[in-house]
Amino acid sequence: MSYGPDPFPPPPAQPAGLFTPQGPGYRPQAYGSPAAAAPTPVGPPPGLPRLRSSYRRLRRVMTLAALGYFVVFLLLTGYAPGLMETELVGGFTFGLVMGLLQFPVTFAAIIGYERSAVRTVDPLARDIRRAVEERGARGGAR
Amino acid sequence: MNTFSSSAQTFSLVAFSAIASFTLLLCIINSAERDDLSDYYTGYRGMSSIPNGLAIAGDYISAATILNTVGFIALTGFDGLTLALSSALSLVLLMFLLAEPLRNAGRFTMGDALARHASDRKVRIVSSAVTLLALVPMMIVQLAASGYLVSLILGFDGDAIRTGCIVVLGILMIAYAAIGGMKGTALIQIIKIVVLVGASAALAFLIMNKVGWNPSQLLSDAKTGSRVGDAYLTSGMRFGSDGMGKLDTVSAMVTVVLGAACLPHVTMRMYTAHSARHIRRSMSWAVGTVSVVCFLLAIIGFGAAAIIGRDALAAGGPQGTLAILQVSQGVAEGSSMVATLLFTAVAAAVFLTLLSSVSGMIMACASSLAHDFYALGLRRTSLPAVRELRAARAAAVAVGVPAIALAIAVQDWGLQALITLSLCIGASAIAPALVYRLFWRRYTNTGLLYTMIGGTLSVLVLLAFSEVVSGGEHALITDRNFSWFPMHTTGLVTIPLGFFLGWLGTIRSTRRDQDDQERQYEAAEPRILAGAGTGSGSGS
């Protein structure tokens, strides 16, 4: 793993100016290890902004999916009782079917979450862990 | 008052004794080393994801959840069902939003996740206090319920016996937490969840069998049994369907969705995983199991309305709390052998749930007291592991004994208010604090204290003046009425307030404070996001 320039610069929404190694507010820190004063230059590990945004995307999409279904269900229950009381088949109202459907929706959501987390987030997190560990070794902390 | 058949009572007595001695033995075998904090607080993070997931599910499903959910569904139909759905959803949200960063950021307790610095003593002390305030009410309810249920199931009568039951079971629960630690309580949670799934599956099977595997038949029987007809399958049975009733329903849902999974005894289980991926797998199992249980409880609830009927259910307990036991007795009428076995299985599941749920909560309180309050909050010098572990075990007793005493004192009161209190604190103080701390880099300690203290106080004040404390049907205080807050949960007001206070406290901190926090967050970010330096291992 090289310590060259970050191939994935942080998105412009989060300028890293103040805390980049040359910024005024920068103070080298190692991650909970006593290597805080190590001579090696320590910035945010490369790839961190990318991990941050993939995690954020994953969190947002999945939370919106799971919570969105429930919020729609709740709003319909409160403010469209006519629709929810419509009988679909054999005594099952629309509201009841929609409520019971939350179980399969939940299962689909956790499977989807796990799959995309393994695909998008885990490789990035693994790289960062390696980078931090190597850096710790170079700084003589381990 | 219901009475159960004498053979069912004998079987239950045998089952309870067997469960109590077997689980205690299990805890002693799996007791932590004398000087190993990690062993006691997290069980070495040594469990694979399936047992770990089952333990999380076990901790999540309290006896109050089971009894209330079935009771609510049986009595209020659709509204009860939405309550079950919110309980399931809460854990999903925990999994998607908080579980992985929480696992990476935290170590043993909520204070570890919230305090970023060893010098954040106030944060430690406040998180310990909020942990206790959120969990002790729930413990009291379940301890009181255990005295009532066990004496009822076994057919004992009289106040002295009920009090005796609370004391004996309470001591057992303290012993699990003090001796077994996280690993011991995890094993009990796993046994409990397996027995619970088995018993409720059998019960749901017999209910469906009784209606000829025709769900429509179950629904129409439930409508008839509920004696409210079509209204049973529409919203509004619980709080009414006028404007305030709707808001009340929404408030209850939101409080459960945000609060239930943020309670410290559940979040504490996040730290037992050895990597983010591991906690994700564990949470998948936990969410799956909880969803299955909620679905089975829904069938059982409808079955209780169909088979037992409103009058008998309402006679069994203020909110149909006995519904699951009544229906397990009623569903197999005619075949006494099946009835006895089924009743024993369900009673054993409830008994195990009571024991494991309270001991999980005692465990979380004891850890927080020993670790956050004593070792890192009060003391200025570091505490040797041997002594901290001794303190944690002593804290289990120090939390458990007053809880037993309180439970004995209030056992005849309407205790719904206490469950509401726990959930509201979880949703209004703990959830905003965790969300801000894990995702907002400029969130200062002042903001955190505003959220935790302000959120908790606002819940306490508003709830004190709501119908669940006085004036309501099953209120805590029956002889006076000083309620003016129009809802049964405070979430709709206090959750936004908790978030607002956190923001207010942060912008009122000095710029230096905010910059400091941002710097500390950035230093911690590789750990929070990627688990760097937490022993996750880079191999897999």
Side-chain angles (χ1 to χ4, degrees), chain A residues 31 52 55 90 113-114 129, chain B residues 100 216 246 281 284 523 525 530:
Chain A
Y31 315 100
R52 190 189 302 140
Y55 241 134
Y113 177 85
E114 250 202 277
R129 276 200 303 275
Chain B
E100 291 167 46
S216 307
K246 278 176 190 165
R281 288 255 69 202
S284 289
E525 200 173 14

Side-chain angles (χ1 to χ4, degrees), chain B residues 519-539:
Chain B
R519 206 159 36 237
Q520 286 180 28
Y521 186 97
E522 279 177 16
E525 200 173 14
R527 186 160 72 100
I528 295 175
L529 287 184
T534 59
S536 290
S538 54

Side-chain angles (χ1 to χ4, degrees), chain B residues 476-520:
Chain B
L476 196 61
I477 295 163
T478 43
D479 49 353
R480 288 176 59 202
N481 183 0
F482 44 82
S483 66
W484 50 261
F485 186 71
M487 287 188 265
H488 291 79
T489 46
T490 67
L492 214 53
V493 177
T494 51
I495 295 168
L497 189 69
F499 278 102
F500 170 77
L501 287 174
W503 172 81
L504 187 73
T506 300
I507 60 157
R508 285 198 53 203
S509 318
T510 59
R511 174 124 198 129
R512 238 192 81 194
D513 244 13
Q514 297 178 21
D515 289 344
D516 245 18
Q517 278 304 328
E518 184 160 4
R519 206 159 36 237
Q520 286 180 28

Side-chain angles (χ1 to χ4, degrees), chain B residues 53-72:
Chain B
L54 293 180
I56 296 169
D59 245 330
Y60 185 65
I61 300 179
S62 65
T65 312
I66 298 175
L67 300 173
N68 280 344
T69 307
V70 176
F72 275 135

